[in-house]
């Protein structure tokens, strides 16, 4: 057994003893949310706050095709469950779309399209739940990640989103593209991936 396998084996063994998540601490959710960030409908608030953190909302597949073509992102991955709704239209427009993510070729994918299991209007965040994602790396390694969701899946506030968390042990909130300010206090986007974070409503 390699060192890597040994480490993961220990993690799996440790997790089998964890039967349930710990309870959240008590708090009054009414005092936690930011009213100024919630003006308008949930979709309007999400769009405004997502855009403020350098995310881009795409309102149609035609707009997504145009965006990818104009930015030279013509080869990528699409979650198989989204192929009928999204991937086929991209392929019909001449883009190369694969439904099997080959991790050994991670540099070949210019865009990755995966499900977002929700969004948070208040913070402008996409919710990515590994339990519903075909391949987590497809949301990280391509320069462009497209999270696909329905408007009905927007949580209005962070407390709402917390209350709606499912049993999955690995849920990520993506608030715009990857960014860091570690280097000289200068905010740099696209450091760890993705460089461009899109939200597509279908």
């Amino acid at each position: 057994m390699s060192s890597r396998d040994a480490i993961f084996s220990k993690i799996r063994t440790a997790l089998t003893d964890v039967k349930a998540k710990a309870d959240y601490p008590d708090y009054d959710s009414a005092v936690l949310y930011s009213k100024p960030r919630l003006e308008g409908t949930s979709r309007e608030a999400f769009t405004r706050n997502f855009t403020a953190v350098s995310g881009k909302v795409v309102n149609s597949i035609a707009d997504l095709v145009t965006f990818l073509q104009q930015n030279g992102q013509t080869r990528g991955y699409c979650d198989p469950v989204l192929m009928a709704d999204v991937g086929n239209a991209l392929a019909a427009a001449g883009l190369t779309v694969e439904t099997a993510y080959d991790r050994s070729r991670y540099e070949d994918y210019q865009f990755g399209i995966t499900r977002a299991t929700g969004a948070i209007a208040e913070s402008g965040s996409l919710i990515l739940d590994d339990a519903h994602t075909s391949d987590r790396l497809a949301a990280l390694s391509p320069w462009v990640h497209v999270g696909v969701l329905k408007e009905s899946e927007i949580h209005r506030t962070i407390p709402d989103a917390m209350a709606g968390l499912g049993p999955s042990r690995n849920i990520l909130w993506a608030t715009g593209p990857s960014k860091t300010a570690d280097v000289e206090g200068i905010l740099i986007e696209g450091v760890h991936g993705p460089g461009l974070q899109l939200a597509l409503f279908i």
Side-chain angles (χ1 to χ4, degrees):
M1 177 182 292
S2 69
S3 297
R4 180 179 184 276
D5 291 338
I7 291 171
F8 279 105
S9 176
K10 288 182 179 180
I11 293 173
R12 290 188 191 97
T13 301
L15 290 176
T16 57
D17 294 332
V18 180
K19 301 302 180 187
K21 291 182 176 180
D23 293 332
Y24 295 124
D26 290 331
Y27 60 89
D28 181 3
S29 62
V31 301
L32 293 182
Y33 62 83
S34 171
K35 288 183 180 178
R37 296 177 66 86
L38 289 169
E39 293 179 2
T41 66
S42 292
R43 182 158 174 170
E44 289 169 344
F46 171 76
T47 299
R48 182 177 61 252
N49 294 324
F50 191 60
T51 302
V53 293
S54 302
K56 178 176 178 58
V57 173
V58 182
N59 293 304
S60 71
I61 296 173
D63 288 347
L64 176 62
V65 169
T66 300
F67 177 87
L68 293 173
Q69 289 176 331
Q70 288 179 343
N71 286 276
Q73 311 293 327
T74 59
R75 186 176 61 255
Y77 165 85
C78 180
D79 186 322
V81 301
L82 296 170
M83 196 62 191
D85 290 331
V86 182
N88 286 338
L90 271 60
L95 281 70
T96 301
V97 183
E98 298 181 22
T99 56
Y101 190 86
D102 183 348
R103 290 184 162 219
S104 68
R105 296 174 40 233
Y106 65 90
E107 291 185 334
D108 291 342
Y109 301 99
Q110 297 174 320
F111 62 83
I113 301 172
T114 70
R115 278 192 63 196
T117 50
I120 308 170
E122 181 182 7
S123 61
S125 304
L126 288 176
I127 301 174
L128 307 176
D129 185 337
D130 276 4
H132 303 287
T133 300
S134 58
D135 198 307
R136 181 73 183 85
L137 194 59
L140 285 174
S141 65
W143 181 249
V144 178
H145 172 242
V146 184
V148 181
L149 72 160
K150 299 174 183 175
E151 186 172 346
S152 61
E153 295 173 318
I154 300 176
H155 297 279
R156 191 152 180 81
T157 67
I158 291 174
D160 289 345
M162 293 286 290
L165 290 176
S168 178
R169 298 180 185 276
N170 194 9
I171 299 173
L172 175 71
W173 292 1
T175 307
S178 164
K179 54 180 74 73
T180 183
D182 291 345
V183 182
E184 300 179 354
I186 301 170
L187 182 64
I188 301 172
E189 296 182 341
V191 176
H192 310 102
L196 297 173
Q197 179 68 70
L198 276 61
L200 170 64
F201 287 99
I202 59 173

